Amino acid sequence: MRRYRLLAPMWLGLGPLVLAGCAAQPTGTASLASAPTLQPGMARVWVLRQPSAPGGNVAAADPMVYANGASLAQSAQGTVFFHDFQPGTYRLTVQPYGTPANLVDTLQLLPATQAYVQVQAVPNWEMGSTAGGASFAVLTMSPQEAQPYLQEMKYLGPR
């Protein structure tokens, strides 16, 4: 009986954590519809980060996303945001975590277009890098690939 009494505080502490994990996660569907229309002559880039990223220290980070070296916003798990750009060529990178592999995604943005990119923790070897370990990468997605994810993500608006 005494050993169960010692375990009671542990179970009481874990209970709220378990229940919190079962709670419905916020979705961005309704808010996503409220995104402002794209201004004439501009291009929009949507930045997604899947809610169910693999575990580990790298995947748990909220890396900063950069366009041509200028910071846009942090990319937290389960979120989506957008940024409107002048047409042109943009080099998208992510703050290095883990073993940096200097992975870059380059987008050629035309007026009145929308592009989708995903921030993802990946093993460096999968991206063709000789660096060991894992890091973040920005990967271009087709609109068809992105749409199902958008329904599950928390919408953060413009960044």
Side-chain angles (χ1 to χ4, degrees):
M1 184 69 161
R2 182 170 181 239
R3 69 178 169 196
Y4 295 115
R5 208 173 342 157
L6 294 174
L7 292 175
M10 179 183 75
W11 290 112
L12 289 173
L14 287 176
L17 292 175
V18 171
L19 291 175
C22 295
Q25 298 299 313
T27 60
T29 307
S31 299
L32 200 57
S34 68
T37 58
L38 185 60
Q39 295 297 311
M42 298 294 284
R44 180 167 288 169
V45 175
W46 292 90
V47 180
L48 298 81
R49 175 105 180 269
Q50 292 182 35
S52 57
N57 292 336
V58 170
D62 294 339
M64 181 63 69
V65 178
Y66 299 91
N68 292 345
S71 61
L72 293 180
Q74 285 186 294
S75 181
Q77 288 185 28
T79 64
V80 59
F81 63 88
F82 72 86
H83 188 86
D84 291 344
F85 292 93
Q86 293 287 332
T89 302
Y90 292 88
R91 188 172 177 250
L92 298 178
T93 57
V94 182
Q95 179 180 2
Y97 279 93
T99 308
N102 300 318
L103 302 172
V104 175
D105 195 3
T106 302
L107 296 177
Q108 179 63 47
L109 301 176
L110 301 174
T113 60
Q114 296 190 56
Y116 298 85
V117 297
Q118 173 179 205
V119 174
Q120 187 176 27
V122 292
N124 290 334
W125 64 268
E126 284 185 11
M127 302 304 295
S129 172
T130 57
S135 191
F136 282 102
V138 179
L139 308 170
T140 303
M141 303 175 79
S142 72
Q144 296 79 13
E145 289 175 306
Q147 292 306 315
Y149 292 114
L150 292 174
Q151 306 309 312
E152 301 175 9
M153 301 199 172
K154 181 178 178 185
Y155 172 63
L156 301 178
R159 298 289 187 251

